[in-house]
Amino acid sequence: KNAINSWTLSQAMARRPMGWCNRMWSKRINIWECRFMRADKWLVNHPYHEVKFTRPFWLTRRGYPNFPRSSNPHELGPKGQKYCNMSKIHQQEIQENRRGQDLVPSSE
């Protein structure tokens, strides 16, 4: 009477999974997928691949400028000036750009 036969087993296997545990299981997500985490975390999980890159001579190893913007940084301001006046540097650059524009013939 209580014997389990193949027909009852097939009926049980065809049943839809019900209950709170299966409901949670159906809503599972892959936390390692790149859509669910920030780009920096996703990149850190991957192995490091060295890229062959020839560093330009005007940058240091860390990517900062290798040379000063002017030819001689000691001649930027008057003697005895302790700090660099950046507005003066920008004004010099603007004047240099204007001089360069005067040399280019206008199309008028």
Side-chain angles (χ1 to χ4, degrees):
K1 220 176 183 180
N2 292 335
I4 298 174
N5 56 20
S6 62
W7 185 79
T8 55
L9 283 175
S10 65
Q11 290 296 317
M13 290 173 70
R15 205 176 68 193
R16 292 184 64 218
M18 304 286 282
W20 67 271
C21 186
N22 290 315
R23 181 170 294 183
M24 285 174 53
W25 186 78
S26 69
K27 304 274 190 249
R28 73 191 182 282
I29 59 170
N30 181 6
I31 61 168
W32 302 110
E33 193 171 347
C34 60
R35 291 184 299 155
F36 299 113
M37 62 172 52
R38 295 192 324 249
D40 56 344
K41 288 185 177 181
W42 189 78
L43 287 170
V44 166
N45 284 336
H46 289 38
Y48 172 73
H49 295 288
E50 185 179 358
V51 178
K52 299 292 182 188
F53 174 70
T54 306
R55 180 176 43 83
F57 66 90
W58 59 85
L59 295 178
T60 62
R61 259 179 39 197
R62 308 277 184 222
Y64 296 111
N66 202 8
F67 307 111
R69 290 175 70 178
S70 62
S71 58
N72 189 356
H74 299 289
E75 297 176 0
L76 285 178
K79 299 293 180 192
Q81 184 179 4
K82 188 172 182 182
Y83 299 107
C84 177
N85 186 358
M86 290 302 290
S87 65
K88 191 161 207 153
I89 294 174
H90 293 308
Q91 288 171 3
Q92 290 173 359
E93 287 179 351
I94 291 170
Q95 289 172 358
E96 288 175 10
N97 288 342
R98 285 185 185 154
R99 277 190 233 128
Q101 288 174 358
D102 294 341
L103 297 175
V104 176
S106 61
S107 61
E108 294 176 352

